Amino acid sequence: MEVNTEKVMILLQRKYNAVRELDKLTKELEAFIARNDSVSAAMILQLRGDEMEKIERCMEEIWQMAHSQEEHEYLRTLVASDLETAEGTSTEEKKIMEIRRKTEAVLVRLRETDQRLNKKLGKKRKL
C-alpha cells in the first residue's frame, strides 16, 4: 500500500487553516486581556482549545496512514523534515512543503504573541 500524498496535502492544509484561526484567536485573546475582559478571554481560550484539537486530529490522521515502517518513514520525511533542506519531487510533495512553510511562518507569529501574553499575565500575577 502506498501513502496517499494528496490526502496528506489536504490534511496539512486543514492544519494550516486551524493554525491561522488559532493565531487570530490568540490576537483576540491578547486584546481581551488588555481590556481585563475575563469572560471573553475564557471563551476565546475554549475556542483556542478547539482549534488545537483540530490540529491534533489532522496529525493523528496523517500518522494513521502509515501501514508499514517504510510508509512511516516517508510520512515523517513529508511532515517533519527540516524545512530549510526539504524538497519535494512530485507536485503533491512540493505543495506539502509549501503548506508546511506557510504553517511554520504562522506558528512563529503565534509563539511571539503567546510569549507577549505570558509576560503580561506574569506581570499581573506579581502585582
Side-chain angles (χ1 to χ4, degrees):
M1 181 173 210
E2 192 173 304
V3 172
N4 183 343
T5 54
E6 185 176 345
K7 186 172 181 180
V8 172
M9 184 176 60
I10 291 167
L11 289 167
L12 286 176
Q13 183 65 45
R14 284 184 195 159
K15 176 185 172 185
Y16 170 67
N17 293 340
V19 168
R20 284 183 40 218
E21 182 63 21
L22 186 61
D23 185 47
K24 179 181 147 243
L25 290 169
T26 302
K27 289 175 184 169
E28 289 178 24
L29 177 62
E30 190 174 33
F32 289 134
I33 288 174
R35 292 191 304 248
N36 290 323
D37 185 348
S38 59
V39 173
S40 297
M43 259 182 21
I44 293 293
L45 284 171
Q46 178 60 47
L47 293 172
R48 276 177 39 120
D50 295 344
E51 292 305 316
M52 288 180 203
E53 286 178 19
K54 286 180 190 176
I55 292 166
E56 185 63 31
R57 280 195 306 269
C58 287
M59 293 309 296
E60 283 177 13
E61 197 169 334
I62 289 171
W63 292 121
Q64 289 173 358
M65 293 172 68
H67 300 289
S68 68
Q69 184 64 28
E70 183 178 279
E71 288 175 350
H72 182 77
E73 294 292 327
Y74 177 66
L75 282 172
R76 186 177 12 219
T77 300
L78 280 180
V79 301
S81 60
D82 181 14
L83 283 172
E84 291 192 27
T85 59
E87 292 183 24
T89 55
S90 69
T91 304
E92 288 93 359
E93 288 177 2
K94 289 177 183 177
K95 184 67 177 171
I96 286 169
M97 296 308 160
E98 178 186 327
I99 294 167
R100 287 187 54 216
R101 285 183 182 93
K102 290 188 318 186
T103 303
E104 185 59 30
V106 176
L107 284 171
V108 167
R109 285 195 317 265
L110 180 58
R111 286 182 197 114
E112 291 169 357
T113 306
D114 272 346
Q115 287 174 348
R116 280 194 313 271
L117 275 171
N118 285 334
K119 285 180 184 180
K120 285 179 186 178
L121 291 173
K123 287 180 183 178
K124 286 184 178 184
R125 287 186 189 138
K126 289 180 184 179
L127 297 177

